[in-house]
Amino acid sequence: MLDVIKTETDNTATLTLTGRVESMTAPKLEEVLIPAYETMQNVTLDFAALEYISSAGLRVLLMGEKKSKEKGGKQTLINVSEAILEVFEMTGFDSVLNIE
């Protein structure tokens, strides 16, 4: 299960993720993340309540990163847990994604 709550301030959309991003829920994240760049320059993803991310979720994050660069904006991940950070480090995503 995945819940995505979107809030907007100035030119940044913040997506607060709760649950798990896996093959069944990654499309839900994609449906919110990619269109956010139509109206916002920057997107912040708050991972404080995210329990798990699979390769399907990583693919969506890469799509978001690509879209942010196309729009001249920035995609930022915040409150990333040690377990998820470990996934990013093992896959090399820590050098591709902006993690704060």
Side-chain angles (χ1 to χ4, degrees), residues 7-41:
T7 55
E8 296 179 353
T9 54
D10 299 323
N11 64 344
T12 301
T14 299
L15 307 181
T16 303
L17 310 180
T18 303
R20 301 168 61 89
V21 181
E22 51 200 4
S23 60
M24 299 298 287
T25 60
K28 182 176 184 177
L29 175 58
E30 184 178 343
E31 289 171 8
V32 180
L33 176 60
I34 303 307
Y37 286 106
E38 298 305 317
T39 56
M40 297 286 152
Q41 187 172 11

Side-chain angles (χ1 to χ4, degrees), residues 11 37 41-42 65-74:
N11 64 344
Y37 286 106
Q41 187 172 11
N42 304 307
E65 187 67 26
K66 181 179 176 191
K67 185 63 89 170
S68 73
K69 286 187 175 19
E70 288 173 6
K71 297 288 185 175
K74 185 174 172 185

Side-chain angles (χ1 to χ4, degrees), residues 44-50 77-82 84 99-100:
T44 299
L45 294 108
D46 188 342
F47 278 27
L50 190 68
L77 282 54
I78 61 170
N79 300 317
V80 178
S81 71
E82 287 296 322
I84 292 177
I99 304 169
E100 291 183 357

